[in-house]
Amino acid sequence: MAGTTVLGRLTWQAATVAGVAAETPRVTTIAFDVPGWPGHQAGQHVDVRLTAADGYQAERSYSIASAPGGTRVELTVVHIDDGEVSPYLTGELRRGDQIELRGPVGGYFVWAPGDGGPLLLAAGGSGVAPLMAMVRLRAAAGSAVDTRLLVSSRSWEEIIYREELERLAGGRLTVVHTLTASAPPGWAGYARRVDAGMLAQVGPGPAERPRVYVCGPTPFVEAVAEALVGLGHQPQAIKTERFGPTGS
Amino acid sequence: MDELMLDGNAAGGVLGEVFAVEMTTATMMCGGCGAAGPVGAMHLFRGAGIVLRCPQCDNALVKITEGGGRMWFDFGGMQTLEIPM
């Protein structure tokens, strides 16, 4: 397992913006080229460091949204109005700009096709990013692992990766959306916060011993993890990645 | 700050600058309640530094502060640290 591999110490390295793409009105994906990138596992994150002209530095952690491959690393960032880092990342960065990255980080919240499944992935808002890396890797590897992805978004317009998920879904990948703030006319899907009943319907159930990954704002993760344990899932099988409040 | 992550995973970067092994899968045993779990599953709070807390009893396991080209580790709340090699 990679978690037991001696990797050498991490250092900050320069990353060059290779592309910027809007996902939703508030969410942007930034692709970086990182020369010498050692490769990453789906679910890992990087630390981003910005340095102002006066030397002031700010650091944030962002999950890697892209599947492992080459020297490319994609981060999906939510614009926080009063944020210190995200307005710069989402609004100011242009192709060719450089920032500093440290990573890849983490061997806990990761999945590889060889780990098997079934998989139950639950995302709140931009928490879908590391789970998207897993879904993308699963597709790229031709894995047939039974995968259920439950995505909670405020509205249809705010679903991140919506079109790509529509393309990838099918076969043994089921994508289920719930909309918590507003739903389009005629919406027949879930329109409430994730709860035990929803998780039981999306499955797989505890008897199938799924590997469970939950990522989102802290209240989302707490509520989902609690509901999963209530349904009978083993706490050790539930891996979580919490973010501060991001309006999701 | 809004964007901060609140899992032990978020300490992986700073720990990775010091330790040459992946630390989020290392197991910490709480000096308060004796519960053990991976660093990635601990609760993390960020202020002037980083504090990792036991998810069971909230005991501060590790405090990390950086500044002036140095890093301070206070492991006072932890009983053992088991590192996969």
Side-chain angles (χ1 to χ4, degrees), chain A residues 107-123:
Chain A
Y108 173 70
F109 193 87
V110 297
W111 178 80
D115 295 339
L119 288 178
L120 173 53
L121 313 175

Side-chain angles (χ1 to χ4, degrees), chain B residues 25-72:
Chain B
T25 51
T27 301
M28 283 182 176
M29 186 185 282
C30 175
C33 72
V39 171
M42 299 300 158
H43 289 174
L44 181 142
F45 299 87
R46 223 164 191 169
I50 291 172
V51 181
L52 288 171
R53 289 186 179 275
C54 173
Q56 303 299 325
C57 76
D58 215 33
N59 173 42
L61 300 167
V62 184
K63 300 167 195 165
I64 306 168
T65 42
E66 292 179 81
R70 296 180 188 204
M71 212 178 278
W72 284 266

Side-chain angles (χ1 to χ4, degrees), chain A residues 134-218:
Chain A
M134 297 177 191
V135 168
R136 285 168 165 162
L137 171 60
R138 176 189 175 282
S143 164
V145 165
D146 178 7
T147 303
R148 323 284 174 91
L149 171 62
L150 174 59
V151 182
S152 175
S153 308
R154 287 174 49 80
S155 67
W156 179 251
E157 294 74 23
E158 289 173 87
I159 299 175
I160 303 169
Y161 316 128
R162 190 181 69 220
E163 289 177 5
E164 185 179 349
L165 286 171
E166 281 171 10
R167 286 197 302 275
L168 290 173
R172 309 255 292 164
L173 171 64
T174 305
V175 179
V176 178
H177 293 288
T178 184
L179 305 176
T180 58
S182 68
W187 173 252
Y190 294 117
R192 62 179 197 266
R193 291 185 182 279
V194 174
D195 56 29
M198 194 186 299
L199 289 162
Q201 283 182 335
V202 171
E208 296 178 64
R209 297 179 154 268
R211 294 169 180 273
V212 186
Y213 295 84
V214 184
C215 186
T218 299

Side-chain angles (χ1 to χ4, degrees), chain A residues 11-66:
Chain A
T11 55
W12 291 100
Q13 53 190 133
T16 304
V17 177
V20 178
E23 300 282 359
T24 75
R26 290 177 59 238
V27 178
T28 304
T29 291
I30 306 142
F32 294 95
D33 266 321
V34 191
W37 184 246
H40 60 268
Q41 298 171 266
Q44 285 187 302
H45 70 270
V46 293
D47 296 331
V48 169
R49 181 164 76 180
L50 302 180
T51 306
D54 64 1
Y56 174 75
Q57 292 186 320
E59 274 178 45
R60 294 291 184 274
S61 299
Y62 292 100
S63 292
I64 302 171
S66 46

Side-chain angles (χ1 to χ4, degrees), chain A residues 203-247:
Chain A
E208 296 178 64
R209 297 179 154 268
R211 294 169 180 273
V212 186
Y213 295 84
V214 184
C215 186
T218 299
F220 174 88
V221 170
E222 297 290 332
V224 172
E226 193 175 319
L228 287 165
V229 171
L231 288 171
H233 290 275
Q234 292 298 312
Q236 301 89 324
I238 304 168
K239 294 188 173 176
T240 61
E241 183 99 297
R242 295 172 179 80
F243 290 79
T246 55

Side-chain angles (χ1 to χ4, degrees), chain B residues 1-15:
Chain B
M1 299 306 292
D2 282 359
E3 298 136 294
L4 297 188
M5 303 167 67
L6 297 171
D7 285 271
N9 279 338
V14 68
L15 291 170

